[in-house]
Amino acid sequence: MASIEFSAKLNSKSQATEAVACAHCQAIVPLGLVAEGDLPSFCCNGCQMAWQLIHSNGLDAYYNMSRTGSTPLGSQRDTGPYADFDLPEFQEKFAKPLPGGRWSISLALQGINCVACVWLIEKLPQLVPGVIAATVNWTTATVQVEWLPERVALSQIAKTLSQLGYAAHPLRQGEQTQRAIAENRRHLVRLGVAGAAAGNNMLIGLALYLGWFAGMDSAVETLMRYASCLVGMVSMLWPGAVFFRSAWSAIITRTPHMDLPIALGLGVGSLSGLWNTVVGAGEIYFDSLSVLVFLLLVGRYIQFRQQQRSADAVDMLYRLTPRHARKWINGQIVETHADLLQQGDTVEVLAGELIPVDGTILAGESLVDEALLTGESQPVSKQIGETVAAGTLNVHASLRIHATAIGRETRIGQIVQLVERSAAEKPEIVEWANRIGAWFVVIVMVLALGTVALWAHHGWTHAINQAVALLIVACPCALALATPLAISVALGRAADRKILIKGGDVLQRLQRPHLIWLDKTGTLTQGKIECHDWYGDTRYRVLVAAIERNSAHPVAVALSRLTKEQDLSLPSPKLVLNVKQSPLGGIAGDVDGVPVAIGNESFIREEVRTEIGDEYLDFAQQLVAKAHSPVFVAVDRNVVAVAGVGDALRADALSAVQRLQQQGWQVGILSGDHPKVVANVAKQLGISPELVRGGVMPEEKVAVLKASKDAVMVGDGVNDSAALAFASVGIAVHGGSETSLQAAPVYLGRPGLQPILELLEGSRRTLSTIRWSFVASLTYNIIAVCLAMAGGINPLVAAALMPISSLTVVLMSIAPGNFSVRTSDSFPSPN
């Protein structure tokens, strides 16, 4: 074993340095970026720019506050307003030519509310000759249209969409957000008006009911009836008009859905109440109708908000690449916007910056953190001739890169498009409800006509009254409310347990066990590299710390953090000189005149040119068996210790995997980490080797999910975002990247895997609540329709019974059984 001398050889102040903290974020500044004298040092250019901005605006108090916390820093017809769609400059800006004389354009549409709307719009080729295809993205309310300009003008296509009730606009940058804000405002205005109308009509109705028992002057009663009629008609013609417009579209396109029977019931009740108000005889129903409009709009708003949250995933992914870049032009570097880069350009990327393009390295060697795409926990060495990807982080030194792909053509751009396509899928639970509505309206209409025929011998007035009673009492408001109300309650209760769910279709897809894929890094493991083992004399840890403080590499940070916790007998080193970091996976320097090298086996053998003893190699093999990476320590060209660094399994990983398997789930691992490391983790958790995939790229994860029908994906990183969006259900775990949270329909806000078990049981119980709500509503409708046809219900009783089914659904939705989980040691209460 080499002897160690700690001597103070102060050759020059400029050559020596101690650990320096970044003036902005307090991270350790790499040796090459430490400023001379009293000037502030920064770990990257981003921190320097932030620091300058804060100080130039006199916001220095920010640092005082931030550092007190617990964490560091076709047709010739008149085309009206769409005439400009045919202008060459318009089509050059918003459309693009395709092979075969075709053109394509993305249009933003207003008024898309359900899958029937999607179905109608996608029938555009049948409605307008010359249109080849129309593909709707339901979540973003956009349509991609392909057409032949020689057969149909773009203005005629847009006008046809407008005539169908879907005003079309060219999709400009940033317009989608503006449209979402405007649509949200319209929903809130409708809700406000409907709520006010419902509240006032309930008060008027209460007065009329009390007057019916206690007596009321006829003039006052007439006034109250007209007041109820006025408020009710406002509710029907303003906020309630959305249901009538949707029903009319269903009629003219012959695509019946749930809004048609709702509009039928509301319309019959309104016209009957209006007639009775004018003639001064009979019952009015506006109190019940106003309340139903309000409740239905609440459900519609919940659906809208779920759509908007799904669309946020794409916006977040676009922010992963830098906005600006350094471009080489005639031997000089020019700052430019990243969107203006072209294939074939040469860009310069400094240490600590994100890479803006996919490309090939022309000059420089560095370490690149590719966790964005691969999930690999350690940066990868990159040299001249090797490829790099947009959105990855250049860790070590500046690189000059030849751009081979930009924007949507890059790998991260392909991930964006995968998320877009996945988010465009229609929720199954909505399609199911609309299929029920299609059959319901046909059956109710046939029964209403049968009721008229059945009672015609008692007089047409009596026959029509019985048919009106049937139509009112059979209004499927409870059917329309059952899903959104039960889901909204379930989502609220899940949120109380810090389980955030974006849509009700998630609950439907999780009710039965099938296949669930788990990412490794950050999901099954802690997602943070630590030093877990040390073999050798502990005195050498102080030397390791002195060297590693000069690197921002995750392994270096882990070794430094462990060393700081030790009670060491040796004095602290004074001088750290000649520190060099190698792309091969190591770092070396002189500590008080003693050469020290720390790195992997290749670095020690090839660069340090030192042999490694059998005892250290044996211990290294033991570390690999535990899914840890061995790091060798050489002092004075002799290996004296080996450290084991790695990402430890979560404490509840084994129990959670066992519980999933006991419940009938097939559990697999889908990870970008090294296949050997992934296999070792799977062995510790008892997961079958047939369901283990290591070294998998983001695109390959999507391919695996395609082959695994209806599979669930659990992950935490940006590299998982496409898989999370494409999976039957994507679950982002606590501590994951913001992009994965945006792409995934579910986010677990508590650490560990036990919340997954709560989510699965809660989903099963919620779907049970929805089924029983449908059973109760259908049972009510069957009994009420039979009574109405038999003459046992008149319009007054029908008006009183109409809200009962809705009230039943509300009570069932808020019952304790909806999204409840067992309280046991396996289901800890949220903090």
Side-chain angles (χ1 to χ4, degrees), residues 447-458 462-463 786 788-791:
L447 293 176
L449 293 175
T451 301
V452 172
L454 181 64
W455 291 95
H457 65 281
H458 287 279
H462 183 75
C786 291
M789 294 187 68

mmCIF file of all heavy atoms in Angstrom, residues 447-458 462-463 786 788-791:
data_model
loop_
_atom_site.group_PDB
_atom_site.id
_atom_site.type_symbol
_atom_site.label_atom_id
_atom_site.label_comp_id
_atom_site.label_asym_id
_atom_site.label_seq_id
_atom_site.Cartn_x
_atom_site.Cartn_y
_atom_site.Cartn_z
ATOM 1 N N LEU A 447 -91.503 4.912 -27.987
ATOM 2 C CA LEU A 447 -92.438 4.752 -26.866
ATOM 3 C C LEU A 447 -93.369 5.942 -26.741
ATOM 4 O O LEU A 447 -94.553 5.789 -26.382
ATOM 5 C CB LEU A 447 -91.657 4.554 -25.568
ATOM 6 C CG LEU A 447 -90.870 3.239 -25.460
ATOM 7 C CD1 LEU A 447 -90.073 3.205 -24.168
ATOM 8 C CD2 LEU A 447 -91.811 2.036 -25.536
ATOM 9 N N ALA A 448 -92.875 7.158 -27.021
ATOM 10 C CA ALA A 448 -93.732 8.350 -26.955
ATOM 11 C C ALA A 448 -94.833 8.271 -28.006
ATOM 12 O O ALA A 448 -96.010 8.580 -27.725
ATOM 13 C CB ALA A 448 -92.888 9.600 -27.141
ATOM 14 N N LEU A 449 -94.478 7.859 -29.221
ATOM 15 C CA LEU A 449 -95.494 7.702 -30.275
ATOM 16 C C LEU A 449 -96.484 6.598 -29.902
ATOM 17 O O LEU A 449 -97.698 6.710 -30.146
ATOM 18 C CB LEU A 449 -94.813 7.387 -31.604
ATOM 19 C CG LEU A 449 -93.961 8.517 -32.216
ATOM 20 C CD1 LEU A 449 -93.247 8.031 -33.465
ATOM 21 C CD2 LEU A 449 -94.841 9.725 -32.533
ATOM 22 N N GLY A 450 -95.967 5.512 -29.301
ATOM 23 C CA GLY A 450 -96.860 4.446 -28.857
ATOM 24 C C GLY A 450 -97.822 4.912 -27.770
ATOM 25 O O GLY A 450 -98.988 4.478 -27.727
ATOM 26 N N THR A 451 -97.349 5.813 -26.884
ATOM 27 C CA THR A 451 -98.209 6.339 -25.825
ATOM 28 C C THR A 451 -99.344 7.173 -26.407
ATOM 29 O O THR A 451 -100.507 7.080 -25.953
ATOM 30 C CB THR A 451 -97.366 7.188 -24.850
ATOM 31 O OG1 THR A 451 -96.335 6.377 -24.297
ATOM 32 C CG2 THR A 451 -98.236 7.744 -23.732
ATOM 33 N N VAL A 452 -99.023 8.000 -27.415
ATOM 34 C CA VAL A 452 -100.070 8.799 -28.076
ATOM 35 C C VAL A 452 -101.116 7.876 -28.694
ATOM 36 O O VAL A 452 -102.338 8.094 -28.554
ATOM 37 C CB VAL A 452 -99.446 9.729 -29.135
ATOM 38 C CG1 VAL A 452 -100.550 10.413 -29.948
ATOM 39 C CG2 VAL A 452 -98.546 10.763 -28.485
ATOM 40 N N ALA A 453 -100.659 6.852 -29.393
ATOM 41 C CA ALA A 453 -101.596 5.919 -30.020
ATOM 42 C C ALA A 453 -102.413 5.166 -28.977
ATOM 43 O O ALA A 453 -103.615 4.900 -29.161
ATOM 44 C CB ALA A 453 -100.827 4.936 -30.905
ATOM 45 N N LEU A 454 -101.770 4.834 -27.848
ATOM 46 C CA LEU A 454 -102.440 4.059 -26.809
ATOM 47 C C LEU A 454 -103.576 4.845 -26.154
ATOM 48 O O LEU A 454 -104.630 4.281 -25.820
ATOM 49 C CB LEU A 454 -101.421 3.624 -25.754
ATOM 50 C CG LEU A 454 -101.934 2.778 -24.593
ATOM 51 C CD1 LEU A 454 -102.448 1.430 -25.097
ATOM 52 C CD2 LEU A 454 -100.831 2.553 -23.555
ATOM 53 N N TRP A 455 -103.376 6.166 -25.961
ATOM 54 C CA TRP A 455 -104.360 6.987 -25.250
ATOM 55 C C TRP A 455 -105.181 7.873 -26.172
ATOM 56 O O TRP A 455 -105.928 8.745 -25.696
ATOM 57 C CB TRP A 455 -103.646 7.870 -24.222
ATOM 58 C CG TRP A 455 -103.073 7.078 -23.093
ATOM 59 C CD1 TRP A 455 -101.814 6.610 -22.964
ATOM 60 C CD2 TRP A 455 -103.774 6.633 -21.932
ATOM 61 N NE1 TRP A 455 -101.653 5.907 -21.805
ATOM 62 C CE2 TRP A 455 -102.860 5.901 -21.136
ATOM 63 C CE3 TRP A 455 -105.109 6.765 -21.475
ATOM 64 C CZ2 TRP A 455 -103.203 5.315 -19.928
ATOM 65 C CZ3 TRP A 455 -105.452 6.191 -20.274
ATOM 66 C CH2 TRP A 455 -104.509 5.465 -19.504
ATOM 67 N N ALA A 456 -105.074 7.673 -27.479
ATOM 68 C CA ALA A 456 -105.800 8.534 -28.422
ATOM 69 C C ALA A 456 -107.317 8.418 -28.247
ATOM 70 O O ALA A 456 -108.053 9.392 -28.463
ATOM 71 C CB ALA A 456 -105.400 8.178 -29.853
ATOM 72 N N HIS A 457 -107.819 7.275 -27.822
ATOM 73 C CA HIS A 457 -109.259 7.112 -27.670
ATOM 74 C C HIS A 457 -109.809 7.910 -26.491
ATOM 75 O O HIS A 457 -111.030 8.071 -26.355
ATOM 76 C CB HIS A 457 -109.603 5.629 -27.502
ATOM 77 C CG HIS A 457 -109.053 5.015 -26.253
ATOM 78 N ND1 HIS A 457 -107.722 4.628 -26.148
ATOM 79 C CD2 HIS A 457 -109.649 4.723 -25.055
ATOM 80 C CE1 HIS A 457 -107.522 4.114 -24.942
ATOM 81 N NE2 HIS A 457 -108.682 4.165 -24.257
ATOM 82 N N HIS A 458 -108.931 8.428 -25.612
ATOM 83 C CA HIS A 458 -109.366 9.291 -24.516
ATOM 84 C C HIS A 458 -109.309 10.768 -24.901
ATOM 85 O O HIS A 458 -109.587 11.624 -24.068
ATOM 86 C CB HIS A 458 -108.484 9.079 -23.288
ATOM 87 C CG HIS A 458 -108.746 7.773 -22.594
ATOM 88 N ND1 HIS A 458 -109.800 7.589 -21.716
ATOM 89 C CD2 HIS A 458 -108.117 6.567 -22.666
ATOM 90 C CE1 HIS A 458 -109.796 6.345 -21.269
ATOM 91 N NE2 HIS A 458 -108.774 5.699 -21.825
ATOM 92 N N HIS A 462 -105.431 14.479 -23.787
ATOM 93 C CA HIS A 462 -104.950 13.544 -22.773
ATOM 94 C C HIS A 462 -103.790 12.703 -23.305
ATOM 95 O O HIS A 462 -102.800 12.451 -22.576
ATOM 96 C CB HIS A 462 -106.102 12.639 -22.339
ATOM 97 C CG HIS A 462 -105.717 11.691 -21.232
ATOM 98 N ND1 HIS A 462 -105.556 12.092 -19.933
ATOM 99 C CD2 HIS A 462 -105.437 10.350 -21.255
ATOM 100 C CE1 HIS A 462 -105.206 11.064 -19.189
ATOM 101 N NE2 HIS A 462 -105.136 9.982 -19.974
ATOM 102 N N ALA A 463 -103.866 12.256 -24.560
ATOM 103 C CA ALA A 463 -102.805 11.433 -25.146
ATOM 104 C C ALA A 463 -101.484 12.198 -25.214
ATOM 105 O O ALA A 463 -100.413 11.665 -24.889
ATOM 106 C CB ALA A 463 -103.228 10.962 -26.536
ATOM 107 N N CYS A 786 -92.801 2.987 -17.984
ATOM 108 C CA CYS A 786 -93.937 2.062 -17.911
ATOM 109 C C CYS A 786 -95.135 2.723 -17.235
ATOM 110 O O CYS A 786 -96.288 2.586 -17.689
ATOM 111 C CB CYS A 786 -93.544 0.794 -17.168
ATOM 112 S SG CYS A 786 -92.368 -0.242 -18.060
ATOM 113 N N ALA A 788 -95.733 5.970 -17.052
ATOM 114 C CA ALA A 788 -96.253 7.025 -17.919
ATOM 115 C C ALA A 788 -97.114 6.443 -19.032
ATOM 116 O O ALA A 788 -98.183 6.977 -19.363
ATOM 117 C CB ALA A 788 -95.094 7.831 -18.512
ATOM 118 N N MET A 789 -96.692 5.346 -19.618
ATOM 119 C CA MET A 789 -97.475 4.719 -20.676
ATOM 120 C C MET A 789 -98.778 4.138 -20.131
ATOM 121 O O MET A 789 -99.798 4.110 -20.829
ATOM 122 C CB MET A 789 -96.652 3.627 -21.356
ATOM 123 C CG MET A 789 -95.438 4.137 -22.124
ATOM 124 S SD MET A 789 -94.615 2.825 -23.064
ATOM 125 C CE MET A 789 -95.858 2.478 -24.321
ATOM 126 N N ALA A 790 -98.729 3.701 -18.855
ATOM 127 C CA ALA A 790 -99.933 3.122 -18.244
ATOM 128 C C ALA A 790 -100.876 4.184 -17.697
ATOM 129 O O ALA A 790 -101.958 3.848 -17.191
ATOM 130 C CB ALA A 790 -99.542 2.156 -17.133
ATOM 131 N N GLY A 791 -100.475 5.447 -17.751
ATOM 132 C CA GLY A 791 -101.329 6.520 -17.253
ATOM 133 C C GLY A 791 -101.154 6.794 -15.786
ATOM 134 O O GLY A 791 -101.942 7.546 -15.198
#
